[in-house]
Amino acid sequence: MLNGAFRPDEQVCSLRSYRRQRDTLVGYRASHIQHMQKALRQMNLLLDNVVTDITGKTGMTIIRAILNGQRNPVELARYRDKHCKKSEEEIAKSLKGHYRDEHVFALRQAVELYDTYDEKIRACDKALEQKLNTFDSKDDKDSQKPSTPDKPSKKRKSRCAPDFDVRSELNRVSGVDLTDIDGIDENTALKIVSEIGLDMSRWPSAKHFASWLGLCPGTKISGGKVLNRKTKRLPGAAATAFRLAAYSLTRSKSALGAYYRRMRSKLGAPKAITATAHKLARLVYSMLKHGSQYVDEGQEYFEQRYRERVLKTLKQKAKDMGFTLTPVETAVG
């Protein structure tokens, strides 16, 4: 009489394994970035003060030049990429250090290990792309649906995203563009699809889906009395992806960003993240199950609807108490 635990079909399970292996390698590569940073600091080379990411084009070019024997700060600063915000003079000031052999040795090993894991991640990217190519296209199943060209994404590509057009592939296999939802980039969309699959019929409704993710209030009730409404702690990868997407909306000018900030001021950050992740999960469920598209109505639209709801509540309370609300005209000028 118990329902079986959720398990995607074999095709999705295979995709999930490739994606999880890739995430593991990304974590290992990040450790060696920290080792590179430590070796640079030990040599008093403050490269991270002048570049946003030491593994970017400017940072790695300078690091490889150091490993090749270059020690002159002015010469090293000339490897600055034209898009770098700092000038060559500023970069040269941060590269005046002492190049002890043991620290250079540690830096060299960290770079070699970084390159090794970077190569393995690229191999995972190819495997992911090949696996996605085996999925059936949604357009093939619904020939009556007019095909529309993919619109360019307004979101920046994440540094941790796979090295192929993930967005187009996911659009093809799902029939919808999950990256239209604010907070969900192509890497997050790939994580979600690889964890939950494309068949939403496994959950009768969006409420069941949110409950399975552990993103809904708890129902600890005894004798008809609610004892606890805390959200269940379920360490699922899909729920974590939704929570991270919700947290990324902190400064978003979208309706979802306004919703998160409203909930944060009311409930605090942890509960606001859960509430926003719950809303994101319902949107993803609706898009994958019904093929609907998401359109952001904007921050101003959300704030206007919030004001209307508050005003309606105030009017009803005043009416119940025998009063009438009268707007106050403010003088202009």
Side-chain angles (χ1 to χ4, degrees), residues 15-16 18-24 26-27 29 121-122 124-125 128 132 153 155-171 177-181 183-195 237-238 240-242 244-245 248:
L15 178 69
R16 182 178 62 181
Y18 283 124
R19 202 267 311 160
R20 288 182 177 180
Q21 171 66 11
R22 186 184 189 277
D23 286 352
T24 301
V26 170
R29 184 180 64 176
I121 290 171
R122 297 293 170 263
C124 282
D125 291 344
L128 277 170
L132 279 173
S153 177
K155 301 178 182 179
R156 295 179 59 185
K157 186 179 179 68
S158 172
R159 287 290 303 273
C160 294
D163 193 20
F164 64 94
D165 194 354
V166 178
R167 177 172 170 266
S168 296
E169 284 297 313
L170 292 180
N171 291 358
D177 189 358
L178 296 179
T179 61
D180 283 344
I181 303 176
I184 296 182
D185 58 12
E186 56 187 20
N187 196 31
T188 304
L190 178 60
K191 288 182 180 180
I192 293 171
V193 170
S194 65
E195 292 292 334
T240 301
F242 280 117
L244 291 175
S248 69

Side-chain angles (χ1 to χ4, degrees), residues 315 318-319 322-326:
K315 286 182 177 180
K319 183 179 178 180
F323 295 95
T324 303
L325 288 182
T326 304

Side-chain angles (χ1 to χ4, degrees), residues 130-166:
Q130 292 174 358
K131 177 54 64 173
L132 279 173
N133 289 334
T134 63
F135 281 68
D136 294 332
S137 176
K138 275 285 184 178
D139 294 335
D140 294 339
K141 295 182 179 181
D142 190 5
S143 59
Q144 296 179 354
K145 180 180 178 181
S147 59
T148 57
D150 288 340
K151 57 184 177 180
S153 177
K154 297 181 181 178
K155 301 178 182 179
R156 295 179 59 185
K157 186 179 179 68
S158 172
R159 287 290 303 273
C160 294
D163 193 20
F164 64 94
D165 194 354
V166 178

